Amino acid sequence: MHKSADQLRIGGYTPLTTIDYPGELAAVIFCQGCPWRCAYCQNEHLLDAGAATPYQWPDIRRHLEQRRGLLDAVVLSGGEPTAQAACLQVAAELKVLGFKIGLHTGGAYPDRLRQLLPLCDWVGLDLKTVPEHYDLLTVTPGSGARAWQSLQHVLSLGIRYEVRTTVHWHLLSAQRLLNLAEQLRYRGVQHWAVQLCHTDQGYSRRLPSNVWTDSDRQFVLQQIAPQFAHFELRE
């Protein structure tokens, strides 16, 4: 059953960004709620699906109608956008308004993602680790199978994408990162970004400092980066 766009629960809204959709001027809608509890999550206030939401879709839609010709795209982010069925109707309305659609997702709902992808022009897929270690990182049983199924959906559709992985050495060792790189390459991933975790902004308050040495950076740039056509190490 499709839900009305007005039912989308929105926890935040950025009217202009140059960094959330590569090469485009965009607005970002932060959807409320996420089923996972990753230790390094930086959007803790968006995790609770039932939390009070300060924004309403009709108000944001009216604002975006006034921004046509000034903005290129709108990004659905979160939280986890695909946690809400209403994201499909919002995406359809954004298309009618003439915007490109970007999507930030962890791939927690592969079936809904598959429905949403034909409306998307670019996807940033947050892939956290190898499947067998996923549940420990997200504190959610079955999350690994869902995320890697979502990766397959993104790759099979031929849509522009970026796979990205946040690395905290306490949660993802160098050997496991190398294993992840090999699995991504085997699946046909061409675009991968590895980004350093900053623990002082994370959901968990018990993570140790995430120290990256010059040797760590050389390991990534020499042993992992050459495996991908497009690779970025983000500080």
Side-chain angles (χ1 to χ4, degrees):
M1 177 183 296
H2 292 298
K3 287 196 173 183
S4 164
D6 293 358
Q7 293 179 275
L8 187 73
R9 297 179 56 75
I10 301 171
Y13 177 61
T14 298
L16 176 63
T17 174
T18 60
I19 61 175
D20 289 280
Y21 189 128
E24 307 285 7
L25 296 177
V28 184
I29 297 171
F30 293 91
C31 301
Q32 188 71 39
C34 180
W36 297 346
R37 293 297 179 268
C38 307
Y40 49 59
C41 178
Q42 298 184 16
N43 290 330
E44 182 178 350
H45 63 290
L46 295 173
L47 294 179
D48 183 1
T53 53
Y55 299 94
Q56 303 298 322
W57 168 243
D59 297 331
I60 291 178
R61 179 191 166 103
R62 278 192 289 273
H63 181 259
L64 289 171
E65 286 173 344
Q66 299 170 359
R67 303 291 289 172
R68 283 187 288 186
L70 301 173
L71 288 174
D72 304 308
V74 177
V75 177
L76 299 176
S77 186
E80 173 50 58
T82 60
Q84 301 187 58
C87 71
L88 297 168
Q89 294 303 310
V90 167
E93 292 190 16
L94 289 170
K95 275 297 185 188
V96 171
L97 291 176
F99 293 110
K100 296 178 181 176
I101 296 177
L103 176 67
H104 295 174
T105 178
Y109 298 90
D111 289 343
R112 188 166 295 141
L113 176 64
R114 186 173 54 186
Q115 298 177 61
L116 182 59
L117 282 175
L119 294 169
C120 296
D121 299 280
W122 177 85
V123 175
L125 176 62
D126 181 17
L127 202 74
K128 301 176 186 302
T129 185
V130 293
E132 57 269 30
H133 295 291
Y134 230 93
D135 297 1
L136 181 62
L137 199 153
T138 62
V139 200
T140 310
S143 56
R146 288 173 171 268
W148 282 75
Q149 185 179 356
S150 291
L151 171 65
Q152 198 59 42
H153 289 333
V154 171
L155 295 177
S156 64
L157 207 64
I159 192 172
R160 286 185 62 209
Y161 71 91
E162 173 191 87
V163 175
R164 53 200 180 200
T165 300
T166 299
V167 176
H168 189 302
W169 291 134
H170 186 71
L171 301 170
L172 186 62
S173 68
Q175 181 56 48
R176 196 169 293 169
L177 183 63
L178 183 59
N179 185 12
L180 174 60
E182 292 168 349
Q183 293 198 37
L184 291 176
R185 184 187 62 179
Y186 176 77
R187 299 290 184 103
V189 170
Q190 297 288 318
H191 303 255
W192 192 30
V194 169
Q195 48 198 20
L196 279 61
C197 175
H198 299 285
T199 55
D200 57 344
Q201 301 173 14
Y203 173 69
S204 173
R205 305 295 182 261
R206 294 176 294 178
L207 282 174
S209 296
N210 186 34
V211 178
W212 276 62
T213 66
D214 290 343
S215 177
D216 292 331
R217 291 178 174 82
Q218 287 303 311
F219 160 73
V220 171
L221 294 176
Q222 293 179 2
Q223 298 195 42
I224 291 179
Q227 301 187 45
F228 299 89
H230 303 277
F231 180 87
E232 185 176 351
L233 178 61
R234 293 178 181 153
E235 299 286 340

